Amino acid sequence: MMWDQEIDATGLLCPLPVLKARKRLSGMEPGAVLRLVATDPAAVIDVPHFCAEAGHDLISTVEDGAAQIYLIRRR
């Protein structure tokens, strides 16, 4: 799947991956897709919760070694 913007949050701990995603998504057009790469173990809980609370669509979650890759569609 294609994405419009990407954030590499590897090495950042909670809550920074979600805060960076929130800020970037706020400047994106509705329907645009953000790819977020994170290594924070808490991201597996934080990112889906953030998407549900903010109304964004969590399109996919993929494990890639120590990283999780999230595709989020802006509401």
Side-chain angles (χ1 to χ4, degrees):
M1 174 166 201
M2 299 299 295
W3 59 87
D4 299 294
Q5 295 190 35
E6 180 175 28
I7 295 175
D8 181 359
T10 56
L12 300 179
L13 297 176
C14 177
L16 291 176
V18 167
L19 292 177
K20 288 186 171 289
R22 176 184 293 145
K23 183 175 182 179
R24 180 73 59 89
L25 284 162
S26 71
M28 294 172 65
E29 293 292 323
V33 176
L34 174 66
R35 181 177 191 254
L36 172 65
V37 180
T39 53
D40 179 13
V44 296
I45 296 168
D46 294 344
V47 173
H49 178 74
F50 160 69
C51 290
E53 290 293 312
H56 301 302
D57 295 324
L58 181 56
I59 300 169
S60 70
T61 302
V62 177
E63 298 272 334
D64 183 17
Q68 302 89 38
I69 301 170
Y70 304 94
L71 290 179
I72 304 167
R73 179 175 287 120
R74 188 186 190 288
R75 64 177 167 131

